Every structure is written in C-alpha cells, then in structure tokens.
C-alpha cells in the first residue's frame, strides 16, 4: 500500500509553493506524499496531521528560517 512508502512533508506556510513542487516531483518518481493542506480536506487539522504522521513511513522536513518559527512544524516534529 501507499502508506508503506508515503512521505509526510512538513513545511511552514511561507514555504508552501516549494513544498507542493517537492511533493509533485516525488510523486512523479513513484513516492506517495502527504502534505497539508492538500490532503487534509474537510478534516480537523490536528487529528488529520496526527493520523498522517502515524501512517507515513517517512518524514521530510523542509527546514527554512520560516519553518524554525512555525508552531505547526514544531508540533509535527
């Protein structure tokens, strides 16, 4: 299943364009990804993020100055 290889991409809101491009590039190479807000849909943020973190095999942190200031990124790591 996809969750066996899925990559959770953690990023700051300011880095969303880069993170979306990264997700597209990984998916083109056969790596399924989970990225917010694209994959949250109508769910509540905290439960959705928690489930995605637990069910993803890999965690990729887009580490930028904005990510270092992000409370959401801190929560995810």
């Amino acid at each position: 299943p996809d969750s066996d290889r899925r990559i959770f991409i953690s990023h700051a809101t300011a880095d969303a364009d880069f993170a979306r491009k990264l997700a597209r590039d990984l998916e083109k190479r056969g790596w399924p990804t989970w990225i917010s807000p694209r994959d949250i849909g109508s769910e509540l943020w905290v439960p959705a993020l928690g489930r995605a973190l637990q069910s993803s095999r890999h965690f990729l942190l887009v580490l930028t100055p904005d990510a270092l200031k992000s409370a959401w990124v801190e929560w995810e790591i």
Side-chain angles (χ1 to χ4, degrees):
D2 280 351
S3 62
D4 289 344
R5 297 186 55 201
R6 185 172 55 206
I7 301 169
F8 181 100
I9 300 175
S10 177
H11 64 90
T13 302
D15 303 316
D17 289 341
F18 173 80
R20 283 191 300 270
K21 182 182 181 325
L22 177 62
R24 284 192 305 271
D25 289 348
L26 287 166
E27 290 164 357
K28 284 179 187 175
R29 288 163 179 78
W31 289 93
T33 64
W34 193 99
I35 186 170
S36 65
R38 179 192 74 182
D39 296 317
I40 289 181
S42 62
E43 292 184 78
L44 296 174
W45 277 74
V46 173
L49 289 170
R51 276 192 299 283
L53 282 165
Q54 288 180 352
S55 65
S56 295
R57 177 72 135 191
H58 306 283
F59 180 88
L60 192 152
L61 172 61
V62 176
L63 188 57
T64 65
D66 288 312
L68 293 173
K69 297 180 233 171
S70 169
W72 281 109
V73 170
E74 184 177 340
W75 183 86
E76 293 167 357
I77 57 174

